Short mmCIF file of all heavy atoms in Angstrom, two decimals:
data_model
loop_
_atom_site.label_atom_id
_atom_site.label_comp_id
_atom_site.label_asym_id
_atom_site.label_seq_id
_atom_site.Cartn_x
_atom_site.Cartn_y
_atom_site.Cartn_z
N ALA A 13 0.82 -1.19 0.04
CA ALA A 13 -0.02 0.01 -0.05
C ALA A 13 0.93 1.26 0.04
O ALA A 13 0.58 2.20 -0.73
CB ALA A 13 -0.88 0.01 1.19
N ILE A 14 1.93 1.28 0.81
CA ILE A 14 2.84 2.35 0.80
C ILE A 14 3.53 2.63 -0.55
O ILE A 14 3.60 3.77 -1.00
CB ILE A 14 3.91 2.19 1.91
CG1 ILE A 14 3.34 2.09 3.32
CG2 ILE A 14 4.97 3.23 1.84
CD1 ILE A 14 4.25 1.82 4.46
N VAL A 15 3.98 1.49 -1.18
CA VAL A 15 4.59 1.70 -2.47
C VAL A 15 3.52 2.10 -3.51
O VAL A 15 3.89 3.03 -4.36
CB VAL A 15 5.26 0.26 -2.88
CG1 VAL A 15 5.72 0.43 -4.35
CG2 VAL A 15 6.34 -0.04 -1.99
N GLY A 16 2.38 1.58 -3.44
CA GLY A 16 1.34 2.06 -4.41
C GLY A 16 0.97 3.47 -4.29
O GLY A 16 0.85 4.21 -5.22
N PHE A 17 0.86 3.97 -2.96
CA PHE A 17 0.55 5.30 -2.71
C PHE A 17 1.62 6.19 -3.13
O PHE A 17 1.30 7.28 -3.84
CB PHE A 17 0.23 5.54 -1.21
CG PHE A 17 0.07 6.89 -0.81
CD1 PHE A 17 -1.19 7.43 -0.90
CD2 PHE A 17 1.08 7.74 -0.41
CE1 PHE A 17 -1.52 8.74 -0.55
CE2 PHE A 17 0.75 9.12 -0.01
CZ PHE A 17 -0.52 9.62 -0.05
N SER A 18 2.98 5.96 -2.84
CA SER A 18 4.01 6.84 -3.34
C SER A 18 4.18 6.82 -4.80
O SER A 18 4.42 7.88 -5.30
CB SER A 18 5.34 6.24 -2.56
OG SER A 18 5.25 6.13 -1.22
N THR A 19 4.06 5.58 -5.40
CA THR A 19 4.18 5.52 -6.81
C THR A 19 3.17 6.42 -7.54
O THR A 19 3.40 7.05 -8.46
CB THR A 19 4.20 4.21 -7.31
OG1 THR A 19 5.28 3.33 -6.67
CG2 THR A 19 4.55 4.05 -8.79
N GLY A 20 1.93 6.18 -7.15
CA GLY A 20 0.81 6.91 -7.72
C GLY A 20 0.96 8.45 -7.69
O GLY A 20 0.80 9.15 -8.58
N HIS A 21 1.31 8.90 -6.45
CA HIS A 21 1.52 10.37 -6.28
C HIS A 21 2.77 10.87 -6.96
O HIS A 21 2.63 12.02 -7.45
CB HIS A 21 1.50 10.66 -4.76
CG HIS A 21 0.26 10.61 -4.06
ND1 HIS A 21 -0.42 9.49 -3.95
CD2 HIS A 21 -0.63 11.62 -3.55
CE1 HIS A 21 -1.63 9.65 -3.26
NE2 HIS A 21 -1.69 11.03 -3.05
N MET A 22 3.80 10.12 -7.03
CA MET A 22 5.01 10.55 -7.72
C MET A 22 4.60 10.66 -9.25
O MET A 22 5.02 11.62 -9.99
CB MET A 22 6.08 9.43 -7.65
CG MET A 22 6.77 9.51 -6.21
SD MET A 22 8.00 8.17 -5.92
CE MET A 22 9.14 8.55 -7.28
N PHE A 23 3.83 9.70 -9.81
CA PHE A 23 3.54 9.75 -11.24
C PHE A 23 2.59 11.07 -11.49
O PHE A 23 2.66 11.68 -12.43
CB PHE A 23 2.83 8.54 -11.74
CG PHE A 23 2.17 8.55 -12.92
CD1 PHE A 23 2.97 8.67 -14.19
CD2 PHE A 23 0.82 8.59 -13.17
CE1 PHE A 23 2.44 8.74 -15.44
CE2 PHE A 23 0.22 8.67 -14.44
CZ PHE A 23 1.04 8.83 -15.52
N GLU A 24 1.63 11.17 -10.52
CA GLU A 24 0.68 12.31 -10.73
C GLU A 24 1.46 13.55 -10.74
O GLU A 24 1.25 14.53 -11.55
CB GLU A 24 -0.46 12.25 -9.62
CG GLU A 24 -1.32 13.44 -9.76
CD GLU A 24 -2.38 13.40 -8.64
OE1 GLU A 24 -2.41 12.35 -7.84
OE2 GLU A 24 -3.27 14.26 -8.68
N LEU A 25 2.36 13.77 -9.72
CA LEU A 25 3.19 14.91 -9.69
C LEU A 25 4.05 15.11 -10.89
O LEU A 25 4.21 16.23 -11.47
CB LEU A 25 4.02 15.02 -8.34
CG LEU A 25 4.87 16.27 -8.21
CD1 LEU A 25 3.95 17.49 -8.11
CD2 LEU A 25 5.73 16.08 -6.90
N ALA A 26 4.66 14.05 -11.40
CA ALA A 26 5.53 14.02 -12.54
C ALA A 26 4.78 14.54 -13.83
O ALA A 26 5.31 15.30 -14.47
CB ALA A 26 6.17 12.60 -12.81
N TRP A 27 3.61 13.94 -14.05
CA TRP A 27 2.92 14.29 -15.31
C TRP A 27 2.39 15.74 -15.23
O TRP A 27 2.22 16.42 -16.23
CB TRP A 27 1.85 13.33 -15.72
CG TRP A 27 0.57 13.29 -15.02
CD1 TRP A 27 0.21 12.46 -13.98
CD2 TRP A 27 -0.55 14.13 -15.21
NE1 TRP A 27 -1.14 12.76 -13.60
CE2 TRP A 27 -1.54 13.78 -14.30
CE3 TRP A 27 -0.80 15.19 -16.12
CZ2 TRP A 27 -2.79 14.46 -14.28
CZ3 TRP A 27 -2.07 15.81 -16.09
CH2 TRP A 27 -2.97 15.44 -15.22
N LYS A 28 1.91 16.12 -14.07
CA LYS A 28 1.48 17.45 -13.96
C LYS A 28 2.55 18.57 -14.12
O LYS A 28 2.37 19.42 -14.82
CB LYS A 28 0.66 17.70 -12.48
CG LYS A 28 -0.64 17.01 -12.41
CD LYS A 28 -1.23 17.27 -11.13
CE LYS A 28 -2.66 16.76 -11.00
NZ LYS A 28 -3.31 17.02 -9.75
N CYS A 29 3.72 18.18 -13.48
CA CYS A 29 4.88 19.08 -13.66
C CYS A 29 5.39 19.16 -15.15
O CYS A 29 5.75 20.13 -15.68
CB CYS A 29 6.01 18.65 -12.72
SG CYS A 29 5.65 18.84 -10.99
N SER A 30 5.39 17.94 -15.82
CA SER A 30 5.72 17.86 -17.26
C SER A 30 4.76 18.64 -18.08
O SER A 30 5.21 19.42 -18.98
CB SER A 30 5.78 16.46 -17.70
OG SER A 30 6.69 15.62 -16.88
N LEU A 31 3.53 18.66 -17.75
CA LEU A 31 2.53 19.38 -18.43
C LEU A 31 2.70 20.92 -18.30
O LEU A 31 2.67 21.71 -19.24
CB LEU A 31 1.10 19.03 -17.98
CG LEU A 31 -0.04 19.69 -18.84
CD1 LEU A 31 0.03 19.36 -20.34
CD2 LEU A 31 -1.43 19.16 -18.25
N VAL A 32 2.98 21.26 -17.02
CA VAL A 32 3.27 22.73 -16.79
C VAL A 32 4.48 23.21 -17.62
O VAL A 32 4.54 24.21 -18.26
CB VAL A 32 3.57 22.96 -15.22
CG1 VAL A 32 4.06 24.35 -15.00
CG2 VAL A 32 2.21 22.72 -14.51
N LEU A 33 5.63 22.35 -17.65
CA LEU A 33 6.86 22.72 -18.39
C LEU A 33 6.53 22.80 -19.83
O LEU A 33 7.08 23.61 -20.62
CB LEU A 33 7.88 21.70 -18.13
CG LEU A 33 8.44 21.72 -16.58
CD1 LEU A 33 9.47 20.51 -16.56
CD2 LEU A 33 9.15 23.03 -16.39
N LEU A 34 5.74 21.85 -20.33
CA LEU A 34 5.41 21.83 -21.77
C LEU A 34 4.66 23.07 -22.20
O LEU A 34 4.88 23.66 -23.12
CB LEU A 34 4.64 20.52 -22.16
CG LEU A 34 4.41 20.17 -23.57
CD1 LEU A 34 5.73 20.11 -24.30
CD2 LEU A 34 3.65 18.95 -23.79
N VAL A 35 3.54 23.40 -21.36
CA VAL A 35 2.80 24.59 -21.68
C VAL A 35 3.65 25.84 -21.57
O VAL A 35 3.57 26.74 -22.46
CB VAL A 35 1.60 24.65 -20.73
CG1 VAL A 35 0.87 25.92 -20.96
CG2 VAL A 35 0.59 23.55 -21.01
N TRP A 36 4.40 25.94 -20.57
CA TRP A 36 5.23 27.14 -20.42
C TRP A 36 6.30 27.27 -21.41
O TRP A 36 6.60 28.24 -21.94
CB TRP A 36 5.99 27.03 -19.02
CG TRP A 36 6.92 28.20 -18.83
CD1 TRP A 36 8.34 28.16 -18.78
CD2 TRP A 36 6.61 29.61 -18.74
NE1 TRP A 36 8.83 29.33 -18.62
CE2 TRP A 36 7.89 30.31 -18.60
CE3 TRP A 36 5.43 30.31 -18.78
CZ2 TRP A 36 7.88 31.59 -18.47
CZ3 TRP A 36 5.48 31.73 -18.63
CH2 TRP A 36 6.68 32.33 -18.50
N SER A 37 6.97 26.07 -21.83
CA SER A 37 7.93 26.09 -22.94
C SER A 37 7.30 26.55 -24.30
O SER A 37 7.85 27.17 -25.19
CB SER A 37 8.56 24.70 -23.11
OG SER A 37 7.62 23.75 -23.38
N ALA A 38 5.99 26.06 -24.53
CA ALA A 38 5.33 26.55 -25.69
C ALA A 38 5.11 28.05 -25.86
O ALA A 38 5.32 28.68 -26.74
CB ALA A 38 3.90 25.74 -25.93
N ALA A 39 4.75 28.57 -24.57
CA ALA A 39 4.64 30.09 -24.52
C ALA A 39 5.94 30.65 -24.64
O ALA A 39 6.11 31.77 -25.36
CB ALA A 39 4.01 30.45 -23.13
N ASP A 40 7.03 30.08 -24.12
CA ASP A 40 8.38 30.64 -24.22
C ASP A 40 8.80 30.65 -25.67
O ASP A 40 9.46 31.55 -26.19
CB ASP A 40 9.28 29.80 -23.46
CG ASP A 40 10.73 30.27 -23.58
OD1 ASP A 40 11.06 31.43 -23.17
OD2 ASP A 40 11.63 29.63 -24.01
N TYR A 41 8.46 29.61 -26.55
CA TYR A 41 8.76 29.59 -27.94
C TYR A 41 8.06 30.63 -28.62
O TYR A 41 8.66 31.32 -29.58
CB TYR A 41 8.32 28.18 -28.50
CG TYR A 41 8.47 28.21 -30.04
CD1 TYR A 41 9.78 28.27 -30.64
CD2 TYR A 41 7.41 28.08 -30.86
CE1 TYR A 41 9.93 28.15 -32.02
CE2 TYR A 41 7.60 28.18 -32.19
CZ TYR A 41 8.76 28.16 -32.79
OH TYR A 41 8.88 28.11 -34.11
N PHE A 42 6.81 30.91 -28.33
CA PHE A 42 6.14 32.06 -28.94
C PHE A 42 6.73 33.38 -28.57
O PHE A 42 6.92 34.15 -29.59
CB PHE A 42 4.63 32.03 -28.32
CG PHE A 42 3.85 33.20 -28.95
CD1 PHE A 42 3.38 33.10 -30.23
CD2 PHE A 42 3.52 34.27 -28.19
CE1 PHE A 42 2.62 34.19 -30.76
CE2 PHE A 42 2.86 35.26 -28.70
CZ PHE A 42 2.28 35.24 -29.91
N LEU A 43 7.21 33.56 -27.42
CA LEU A 43 7.92 34.84 -27.07
C LEU A 43 9.33 34.87 -27.81
O LEU A 43 9.58 35.95 -28.16
CB LEU A 43 8.16 34.88 -25.51
CG LEU A 43 6.81 34.95 -24.73
CD1 LEU A 43 7.25 34.93 -23.17
CD2 LEU A 43 6.09 36.33 -24.98
N GLU A 44 9.98 33.76 -27.94
CA GLU A 44 11.23 33.81 -28.57
C GLU A 44 11.05 34.19 -30.15
O GLU A 44 11.84 34.72 -30.71
CB GLU A 44 11.84 32.32 -28.51
CG GLU A 44 12.52 32.11 -27.12
CD GLU A 44 13.72 33.02 -26.87
OE1 GLU A 44 14.50 33.38 -27.82
OE2 GLU A 44 13.98 33.39 -25.67
N ARG A 45 9.94 33.67 -30.62
CA ARG A 45 9.69 33.94 -32.10
C ARG A 45 9.36 35.35 -32.24
O ARG A 45 9.83 36.00 -33.17
CB ARG A 45 8.52 33.09 -32.59
CG ARG A 45 8.24 33.23 -34.01
CD ARG A 45 7.27 32.08 -34.36
NE ARG A 45 7.00 32.16 -35.81
CZ ARG A 45 6.90 31.15 -36.64
NH1 ARG A 45 6.94 29.81 -36.21
NH2 ARG A 45 6.68 31.26 -37.89
N GLN A 46 8.60 35.97 -31.25
CA GLN A 46 8.28 37.31 -31.43
C GLN A 46 9.59 38.22 -31.18
O GLN A 46 9.70 39.13 -32.03
CB GLN A 46 7.23 37.76 -30.29
CG GLN A 46 5.83 37.12 -30.48
CD GLN A 46 5.27 37.64 -31.80
OE1 GLN A 46 5.07 36.93 -32.80
NE2 GLN A 46 4.88 38.87 -31.80
N ARG A 47 10.33 37.87 -30.30
CA ARG A 47 11.60 38.69 -30.17
C ARG A 47 12.59 38.46 -31.28
O ARG A 47 13.20 39.53 -31.74
CB ARG A 47 12.30 38.10 -28.86
CG ARG A 47 13.58 38.83 -28.51
CD ARG A 47 14.33 38.14 -27.39
NE ARG A 47 14.78 36.79 -27.75
CZ ARG A 47 15.88 36.51 -28.44
NH1 ARG A 47 16.61 37.53 -28.93
NH2 ARG A 47 16.21 35.36 -28.78
N ASN A 48 12.65 37.27 -31.82
CA ASN A 48 13.43 37.09 -33.14
C ASN A 48 12.97 37.96 -34.31
O ASN A 48 13.72 38.48 -35.07
CB ASN A 48 13.41 35.59 -33.47
CG ASN A 48 14.46 35.31 -34.57
OD1 ASN A 48 15.68 35.56 -34.40
ND2 ASN A 48 13.97 34.83 -35.72
N GLU A 49 11.61 37.93 -34.52
CA GLU A 49 11.08 38.76 -35.59
C GLU A 49 11.39 40.22 -35.36
O GLU A 49 11.66 41.00 -36.27
CB GLU A 49 9.54 38.47 -35.68
CG GLU A 49 9.09 37.16 -36.15
CD GLU A 49 9.49 36.98 -37.62
OE1 GLU A 49 9.46 38.01 -38.38
OE2 GLU A 49 9.98 35.88 -38.07
N SER A 50 11.29 40.68 -34.03
CA SER A 50 11.63 42.05 -33.79
C SER A 50 13.07 42.35 -34.06
O SER A 50 13.38 43.46 -34.55
CB SER A 50 11.23 42.34 -32.24
OG SER A 50 11.66 43.64 -32.03
N ASP A 51 13.97 41.36 -33.80
CA ASP A 51 15.44 41.67 -33.96
C ASP A 51 15.70 41.66 -35.52
O ASP A 51 16.63 42.30 -35.92
CB ASP A 51 16.21 40.56 -33.29
CG ASP A 51 16.24 40.66 -31.73
OD1 ASP A 51 15.83 41.73 -31.32
OD2 ASP A 51 16.44 39.58 -31.18
N LEU A 52 14.97 40.96 -36.22
CA LEU A 52 15.22 40.76 -37.68
C LEU A 52 14.62 42.01 -38.47
O LEU A 52 14.86 42.10 -39.68
CB LEU A 52 14.69 39.54 -38.20
CG LEU A 52 15.38 38.21 -37.80
CD1 LEU A 52 14.67 37.01 -38.40
CD2 LEU A 52 16.80 38.25 -38.26
#
């Protein structure tokens, strides 16, 4: 039960954190693209 609880919560935290990083990195790419267009 302890292993199942820990593993389940670790996976939940991992995929949520990964989703946050993915969404934020997509926004970061959009900002980088805008900055690059401004520099060009």
Side-chain angles (χ1 to χ4, degrees):
I14 297 175
V15 171
F17 177 85
S18 303
T19 306
H21 283 69
M22 288 173 59
F23 170 69
E24 183 179 357
L25 182 61
W27 76 260
K28 286 184 177 180
C29 293
S30 301
L31 184 60
V32 169
L33 291 176
L34 189 61
V35 173
W36 175 249
S37 60
D40 178 63
Y41 171 70
F42 177 76
L43 295 175
E44 286 291 328
R45 186 171 184 140
Q46 294 295 111
R47 183 186 62 81
N48 187 63
E49 288 293 325
S50 178
D51 292 341
L52 290 178

